[in-house]
Amino acid sequence: MLIKIFLLVLFFAVTIFIGLYFRKRASNVNDFVLGGRNVGPWLSAFSYGATYFSAVVFVGYAGQFGWRYGTAAVWIGLGNAFIGSLMAWFILGRRTRVMTNHIKSATMPEFFGARYNSSALKICASIIVFIFLIPYTASLYNGLSRLFEMAFGIPFEYCIWAMGILTAIFVVAGGYFATAVNDFIQGSITVIGVVLIIAAALASKGGLTQAIGELARIDGAAADGPMGASPGVFTSFLGPNPIALLGVLILTSLGTWGLPQMVARFYSIKSEKMITKGAIVSTFFAIFVAGGCYFLGSFGRIFASPADVKAKGFDSIIPGLLERLFANNDWMMGLIIILVFAASISTLSSLVMSSSSTLTLDFLRGNIIKKMSDKQQLFIIRALIVVFIIISSVIAINVYKGGITFIAQLMGVSWGALAGSFLAPFLFGLYWKRTSNIAVWCSFIFSTSVMILNVLFRSSFPAILQSPINAGAFCMLAGLIIVPLVSLISKAPEKSVVDNCFACYDETVTVKVKDDLGN
């Protein structure tokens, strides 16, 4: 216990030191929220990856979907790497940086307000962000508490408040730059930890071949899905339920394109070279972390019994696996606790930053408080960070006590509403001048309505959409159809406004011959 406490205190100390060290680089709103748009490729790439993956993936998704789909769950991790990271950087990165800088947008709702010349869209988007980031935050707390209860035997509430207080201290003090530096350190810990855990898990079963063989021998009748009765289904190419697997892959991969805390990483891109470096680094990070987590989770059935999972839930699979592997290794258990804590803190810091900055810049400024100086904005953003942490902590405790413990479902509701609402309007807003205001409204209303109704009347939905994960994936894909279709049949946006936004892409820049042949 002393070893685990020592490692945890050391982690706390380093995290707080970084926040205090960079407080001078968070003296105005632009520096606090965006790091002055001057963050290097490694910090940005690790910040993107660390924001992407947290205890939700490590404990919730890896456990649940590894159990359900076997080794085919690795496809989810690969989708996260190549769609959620690589393609996101190349398709969104440059255009996001250029246009948001041109229209002076620091948040996604502010982008909608300026791009579509509508303060109502900006306010609506800010409300959606604030409301639907809360379930995601609750899922972070849920995942972290599982390991803390296992390792320290302390109540769930103490885990939540410790995580919240630590996040509040370093984010309030150091802003975006402190968050990015912490993400780099915490991301490095996560990569190392995942590799060590996988190695230990396979070694305990005699190696990869033996572990695969044991998993292949498990009766396929235990699987859910049309291929469940097939022999060796848990080691098959697409697993027992390819359609459900595709839904998870779409939600967790394409979803990053419409999440405000993820897209915000592109606002701070420093230079053109950073796009390629950031894309490559974040992709490899995702392969190691997401691919590794799902690969580990795919062996859950050879470490846990169906009776245990039925009694304790899917979210107990990974903690139970770790307890079996490292019950007598305090140093390794301490590293794992820091791994999950680091992954969760990095994501939580991005969530509270997005939520507080959005509420201040897009809702309060100019609407509730007509005139607000830079210092006042900075003070309110910092105050709202604390408020958001308190609210989300209280909700997480009540959700847990109410028996809602499946991490994947909480995240599905959040990502479905946010990415379903924002993905298509943001993507088409960067590339297509014809995108109309009414199309954006349709996307907002459709996705938030579907996800709210899914929570309230889930049994009334078609069987395939009763899962919040599938419903969220459906909203994202539907938005990609709704926005262009409604744009074509509705009134075209005001030409002068659109031309002004897209003028940034036509500016001439001079580059060296080694970068462009000039012909």
Side-chain angles (χ1 to χ4, degrees), residues 64-403:
Q64 179 170 338
F65 299 122
W67 180 271
R68 287 182 169 176
Y69 309 131
T71 54
V74 176
W75 284 113
I76 305 171
L78 295 178
N80 295 171
F82 293 104
I83 299 174
S85 299
L86 187 67
M87 290 178 63
W89 272 84
F90 282 126
I91 293 175
L92 298 180
R94 181 186 297 104
R95 283 186 173 248
T96 298
R97 172 62 173 83
V98 172
M99 187 177 285
T100 57
N101 185 53
H102 177 68
I103 62 179
K104 303 187 186 308
S105 162
T107 66
M108 186 175 275
E110 197 170 20
F111 170 86
F112 291 132
R115 167 64 180 83
Y116 298 107
N117 194 30
S118 172
S119 59
L121 276 176
K122 181 175 73 171
I123 293 171
C124 180
S126 67
I127 294 172
I128 292 173
V129 170
F130 188 80
I131 291 175
F132 286 99
L133 280 183
I134 291 176
Y136 189 19
T137 308
S139 68
L140 294 179
Y141 289 130
N142 191 349
L144 185 66
S145 68
R146 295 279 181 168
L147 286 180
F148 261 71
E149 287 179 331
M150 176 192 73
F152 296 101
I154 59 178
F156 175 79
E157 293 87 344
Y158 295 124
C159 305
I160 288 181
W161 292 119
M163 182 176 172
I165 291 170
L166 179 62
T167 304
I169 292 173
F170 86 82
V171 175
V172 167
Y176 182 90
F177 209 89
T179 301
V181 173
N182 266 318
D183 286 347
F184 179 79
I185 296 172
Q186 293 160 2
S188 302
I189 294 172
T190 303
V191 171
I192 294 170
V194 168
V195 171
L196 291 176
I197 293 168
I198 291 173
L202 295 178
S204 71
K205 292 296 180 178
L208 176 61
T209 303
Q210 287 77 4
I212 291 287
E214 186 174 344
L215 185 62
R217 289 190 292 272
I218 293 177
D219 186 4
D224 298 324
M227 307 299 291
S230 304
V233 69
F234 293 115
T235 56
S236 62
F237 190 68
L238 294 176
N241 196 337
I243 300 299
L245 177 67
L246 180 63
V248 181
L249 190 151
I250 291 172
L251 179 83
T252 60
S253 301
L254 198 59
T256 60
W257 296 29
L259 294 178
Q261 72 272 19
M262 299 299 300
V263 173
R265 269 52 200 160
F266 301 137
Y267 292 15
S268 61
I269 289 175
K270 184 178 181 179
S271 65
E272 175 67 24
K273 291 180 180 179
M274 181 179 154
I275 295 174
T276 302
K277 289 181 180 179
I280 293 172
V281 173
S282 65
T283 300
F284 276 101
F285 182 92
I287 290 172
F288 275 101
V289 176
C293 285
Y294 286 113
F295 181 71
L296 177 67
S298 69
F299 294 102
R301 285 183 180 270
I302 65 175
F303 286 95
S305 68
D308 288 340
V309 174
K310 185 177 181 179
K312 300 177 183 179
F314 291 115
D315 300 339
S316 67
I317 294 173
I318 297 299
L321 182 154
L322 297 175
E323 189 171 22
R324 287 187 61 179
L325 289 176
F326 306 116
N328 299 317
N329 189 334
D330 292 327
W331 285 102
M332 193 63 193
M333 185 59 75
L335 176 64
I336 292 167
I337 293 167
I338 292 175
L339 179 162
V340 180
F341 204 95
S344 299
I345 286 288
S346 58
T347 303
L348 179 60
S349 62
S350 298
L351 296 182
V352 299
M353 182 75 78
S354 293
S355 181
S356 59
S357 59
T358 291
L359 201 61
T360 302
L361 302 178
D362 306 323
F363 185 75
L364 297 178
R365 187 180 66 178
N367 299 303
I368 307 301
I369 304 174
K370 297 299 181 183
K371 292 184 179 180
M372 194 185 299
S373 68
D374 191 84
K375 287 186 177 181
Q376 288 174 321
Q377 293 174 47
L378 192 56
F379 174 79
I380 292 174
I381 290 173
R382 283 174 161 149
L384 285 175
I385 287 173
V386 177
V387 170
F388 183 85
I389 288 174
I390 293 173
I391 292 173
S392 59
S393 299
V394 171
I395 291 175
I397 291 171
N398 286 297
V399 164
Y400 183 80
K401 289 182 176 179

Side-chain angles (χ1 to χ4, degrees), residues 433-444:
K433 291 184 177 182
R434 188 63 176 78
T435 312
S436 67
N437 288 30
I438 187 67
V440 179
W441 278 114
C442 288
S443 182
F444 285 8

Side-chain angles (χ1 to χ4, degrees), residues 48-67:
Y48 184 91
T51 300
Y52 198 165
F53 308 113
S54 64
V56 174
V57 172
F58 186 74
V59 177
Y61 271 41
Q64 179 170 338
F65 299 122
W67 180 271

